[in-house]
């Protein structure tokens, strides 16, 4: 028996810009970009299944945050 709710999945990454990480040290994730990506995919029938925020090293001294979102439909 197949209990999976979704037939297909899509994973995207939304990152803060490297310039803001270098200039401001630790900037926030781009909320306008997140809103537009979520609304665009929602209009296409995708639903958010899972999301996480990762922090990666950028060059030598800086870090950069990214939001990884998994959609399903």
């Amino acid at each position: 028996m197949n209990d999976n709710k979704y037939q297909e999945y899509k994973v995207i990454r939304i990152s803060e810009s490297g310039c803001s990480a270098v200039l401001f040290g630790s900037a926030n994730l781009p909320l306008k970009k997140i809103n537009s990506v979520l609304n665009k995919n929602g209009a296409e029938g995708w639903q958010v299944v899972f999301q996480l925020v990762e922090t990666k090293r950028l060059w030598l001294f800086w870090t950069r945050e990214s939001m990884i979102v998994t959609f399903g439909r």
Side-chain angles (χ1 to χ4, degrees):
M1 182 190 303
N2 189 357
D3 291 335
N4 292 340
K5 183 177 176 183
Y6 303 106
Q7 299 298 316
E8 60 181 326
Y9 293 91
K10 175 168 64 169
V11 179
I12 62 165
R13 177 184 309 236
I14 306 168
S15 299
E16 71 175 306
S17 69
C19 292
S20 66
V22 170
L23 294 175
F24 303 117
S26 179
N28 293 327
L29 287 168
L31 293 179
K32 288 183 181 180
K33 183 176 180 182
I34 293 170
N35 284 333
S36 67
V37 168
L38 293 177
N39 288 330
K40 177 184 167 268
N41 286 290
E44 295 174 0
W46 293 97
Q47 295 180 343
V48 175
V49 177
F50 183 77
Q51 69 182 17
L52 65 96
V53 176
E54 71 172 358
T55 303
K56 296 175 77 175
R57 183 179 303 276
L58 177 67
W59 299 322
L60 186 59
F61 302 108
W62 299 280
T63 59
R64 180 179 184 181
E65 287 187 344
S66 297
M67 176 183 274
I68 300 174
V69 183
T70 303
F71 292 98
R73 67 174 174 186

